Structures are given as structure tokens and as C-alpha cells.
Amino acid sequence: MNQHTRASTAPIPFIDVAAQRRRLGRAVDEAIARVLDHCQFIMGPEVRAAEAELAAFCGARHAITCASGTDALLLPLMAKGIGPGDAVVCPGFTFHATAEVVAVIGATPVFADVDEESFNIDPSSIERAIATARRHDLKPKAVIPVDLFGQPADYDAIGAMARAENLFVLGDAAQSFGATCRNRAVGTLADATATSFFPAKPLGVYGDGGAIFTDDDELAAVLRSLRVHGEGGDKYDCVRIGLNGRFDTVQAAVLIEKLKIFPEEIVARDRIARRYSRKLADVAAVPRVLGGRTSVWAQYTIRLPHGHRDRFVAALKAQGIPTAVHYPKPVHRQAAYCGFPVADGGLAVSERLAEEVVSLPMHAYLDEPTQDRIIEATRRAIED
Ligand SMILES: Cc1ncc(COP(=O)(O)O)c(C=O)c1O
């Protein structure tokens, strides 16, 4: 019997970084060897080359690489001088790094709810969060929409609201680089956009890394200074308080090779997600990509009826199929963040989603027999 048939319970990976590594093979080895030969480990030529390719990929005027997705969120807030007394609106249903950067600079995250269908920040809840911020005597300065699980947030509605309220829009595209909204690429949808190259992301490297995208020349110049200790004309001239937030040359070399296959991987991820949805839509609440948008499927996340998740996860685990819960607790319920304000009316959707979501294995190298194994196990676990 084929190892991938229904009877197999051999463990499969949730994200198969090794399969991509096999595909890239010598190209990555040689790219890393070139860095080992020229020894410019900090801000070497690959960093500038990666930035040029990233900017070209999404059509942004500037791509500024940095040490992580978290730094990619932190640096624009620092550049804007956001700090104590300021409010930054964040969704409650996200990875907590989105709010962490706000708290780290002494500003106050104010949590907004998300939309039931896209899981992304609900523009009407942003309005309520702004009102909440003002009631707490905070100045609303920015909003961080998150493109959760790979699908862009509603930047048209958010942008209109931000212009009216004079808010800076910082897209958290840690999960969505490569996606589009009305034929515009992520990286061009907000005043600045942050992405992550954490290995498990759709465009991951072999360590930490991130990038910021913007069309704003002045902001880009400040970001380039901030990521190198606030340097001015040369490295011993310091004009602002910054940090060591540089992208590693070795990781830039890896990124350049990964970008070459990224468009094909995006197509593969989308094909797999659509196939999952076709074969699961009659038994589970499958993810929806809203009109005019594409997703890069950082996660393929279904919803189960309240109280069914633990049994479902155990049933799949018994079949060798890993699942993950993104995220079991909304950020405003986390011990570190529960003291910060939430939008008037509360975050009922974020709280419900945290109880009901579960993600299935998703990566570009999932073959059809393995997909079928996951689909059949999912159906059985739900129907039993
Ligand atoms: C939504 C979101 N924001 C920010 C981050 C932080 O990125 P990094 O781990 O590269 O610092 C992540 C990564 O997990 C994320 O998923």
C-alpha cells in the first residue's frame, strides 16, 4: 500500500521547510558560499540587492530590510515619534507582536475587533477604538491592520478613516507578503508595511528577518538611519536614537534565492487552499477570501463549532496530522496586555474566533495524496 493512502498514520509536517530546501538545493548553498567568500556579513551587497528585488516584487518605492518582522513594525512607529500619551489601534485577534511594538515605545495599544469573515480588523471597530482612546485622554496616532493568515485587510475603508482622523497606517503584513488587493500588491496598500521573513512565513529565510515598504522618501531615510543605531552621515555620526535592527547578509542571500521561486509557491499555496475548501466546505466553515483580494495562505484556518476543537485536534494527531491554533487567546486577554483599553462594545468576534479556529497543514509542497489524507481525516473527525 502507498504510504500516502488513507491507512497511513505516518507523521507529516505542518510546514515542510525541508521540502523547499531540497528544491532550492545548491542555489542556496552557493549563495551562502558567496557571502562566506566576500565576508561582508553586515550590510553586504546581498542586502542592497534583496531590497531592490523586494521593492520591484511589490512595486513599492522603498524596501528597507531589518532584523525581524517585529523590528519592521517597531521602526516605523519610532520614525513617527509615537510614544507615551499616544494610542495605536490594533486588532485583538493577531499574534501579540503587533501590540508589543506599541507598548515597547511607551504608547498604548487600543484593541479593536475583527470581521467575522476575513478575521481582519473591522473598520467600524476602529472608530469605536478611537473613541475609547480619546476617553482615556490618549491621542490616536496610528492603526496597525493585520493581514491575518495571508489575506489583506480592508485598506480602502481603513485608509479613508485614517485620512479623516490623521492616523498613520502601518500594515502588519508579516503573513501576507505576496498577496494583492484590487491588483495592488501588499507593500503598497498602507503608509508603511511591515513583513516578516521568519522561516515559517510564506517568504521565510533561514533565521530571523523582516522588511518595511513605503513610498515615502523621508520616512525611508529615517528608517534606514534608525535600523543602524540612528546613524547620520557615517557610522560614528549619531543623529537619533535607533537600534541594531539590520538584516543579516547571509539571510539576504537566502532571500534572493527564495524570491525566485516565490511566485510559483504562491500559485501552489492557492491551488491547495482552493482544493481544501472544495472538499471541506460541506462539513466545516472554510476560510473566505473577500472580493478583489488574493491570499498567500500563511495559514489555512477553519472554524469548528464551539467545544469541538480539542477532540478534533486529538483525532487528527492520532492520524499523524499536526494542527495549530492561531490564536488560542486574543491579545487583549493575554496577561501582558489585559490592562490596555479595548474598543467600546468589546471584542466578541476575536473572543469567539480564539475558541473556534484551527489551522491545517499548509505549504507549497503538499502533494495531492497528502492533501487527501488531511481532507479525509478532517472530514472523519468532524462527521464522527
Ligand atoms: C501578525 C504578525 N505580526 C508580527 C510578527 C512578528 O514577526 P517576527 O517573528 O519576524 O518578529 C509575526 C510573526 O509571527 C506575525 O505573525
Side-chain angles (χ1 to χ4, degrees), residues 40-380:
Q40 295 179 60
F41 301 119
I42 303 296
M43 298 304 280
E46 285 81 359
V47 174
R48 281 185 294 281
E51 290 182 343
E53 295 196 17
L54 286 165
F57 186 92
C58 68
R61 202 167 148 79
H62 302 279
I64 299 110
T65 55
C66 57
S68 66
T70 306
D71 278 359
L73 289 166
L74 177 63
L75 289 161
L77 298 180
M78 290 171 71
K80 286 283 163 186
I82 292 170
D86 296 334
V88 177
V89 179
C90 308
F93 193 57
T94 178
F95 180 61
H96 46 265
T98 312
E100 176 183 50
V101 292
V102 178
V104 157
I105 54 169
T108 303
V110 179
F111 293 104
D113 209 359
V114 296
D115 168 65
E116 189 100 41
E117 287 196 294
S118 66
F119 306 164
N120 283 331
I121 197 163
D122 175 352
S124 67
S125 184
I126 298 177
E127 270 176 38
R128 292 196 291 279
I130 291 170
T132 305
R134 294 210 168 102
R135 243 199 4 269
H136 283 77
D137 288 329
L138 297 166
K139 285 195 214 94
K141 285 282 179 70
V143 54
I144 310 183
V146 178
D147 303 340
L148 205 71
F149 305 152
Q151 170 171 203
D154 187 353
Y155 286 97
D156 289 344
I158 296 164
M161 191 176 295
R163 279 189 294 280
E165 295 282 353
N166 202 19
L167 301 182
F168 175 65
V169 182
L170 172 59
D172 181 342
Q175 303 180 7
S176 67
F177 188 66
T180 61
C181 181
R182 290 184 237 300
N183 295 320
R184 287 170 54 212
V186 164
T188 64
L189 303 173
D191 296 326
T193 303
T195 198
S196 163
F197 304 131
F198 183 82
K201 299 295 187 222
L203 181 62
V205 293
Y206 293 158
D208 276 310
I212 307 147
F213 302 90
T214 185
D215 286 347
D216 181 335
D217 296 349
E218 211 172 300
L219 177 61
V222 176
L223 291 169
R224 289 185 201 284
S225 160
L226 280 172
R227 75 169 166 187
V228 191
H229 303 292
E231 74 177 9
D234 67 62
K235 80 187 219 189
Y236 296 118
D237 177 32
C238 178
V239 294
R240 53 180 63 82
I241 295 169
L243 42 87
N244 177 353
R246 296 173 297 230
F247 190 39
D248 197 281
T249 310
V250 169
Q251 298 305 340
V254 172
L255 183 88
I256 291 167
E257 295 310 312
K258 291 219 184 184
L259 254 182
K260 291 178 187 163
I261 60 168
F262 191 43
E264 269 177 45
E265 292 184 335
I266 293 172
V267 171
R269 297 174 89 95
D270 196 51
R271 187 177 57 240
I272 294 161
R274 284 171 195 270
R275 191 160 182 272
Y276 269 161
S277 287
R278 265 199 318 277
K279 295 180 178 256
L280 292 174
D282 60 326
V283 293
V286 297
R288 271 202 62 199
V289 178
L290 301 188
R293 291 175 220 179
T294 62
S295 174
V296 286
W297 301 104
Q299 305 298 340
Y300 182 90
T301 304
I302 59 174
R303 276 176 83 174
L304 300 173
H306 195 81
H308 285 219
R309 189 168 63 196
D310 288 352
R311 211 167 50 94
F312 176 85
V313 166
L316 263 68
K317 190 170 176 205
Q319 299 293 312
I321 298 170
T323 54
V325 176
H326 308 100
Y327 300 91
K329 227 187 229 189
V331 187
H332 66 286
R333 293 285 182 204
Q334 295 281 1
Y337 295 94
C338 61
F340 292 111
V342 302
D344 293 344
L347 310 189
V349 180
S350 298
E351 290 181 13
R352 206 158 45 240
L353 290 176
E355 306 246 332
E356 296 178 0
V357 290
V358 62
S359 304
L360 302 180
M362 165 54 74
H363 58 83
Y365 301 91
L366 259 181
D367 58 26
E368 288 200 0
T370 311
Q371 291 167 37
D372 288 340
R373 213 181 117 189
I374 296 163
I375 290 162
E376 281 163 32
T378 298
R379 293 187 67 89
R380 268 200 310 277

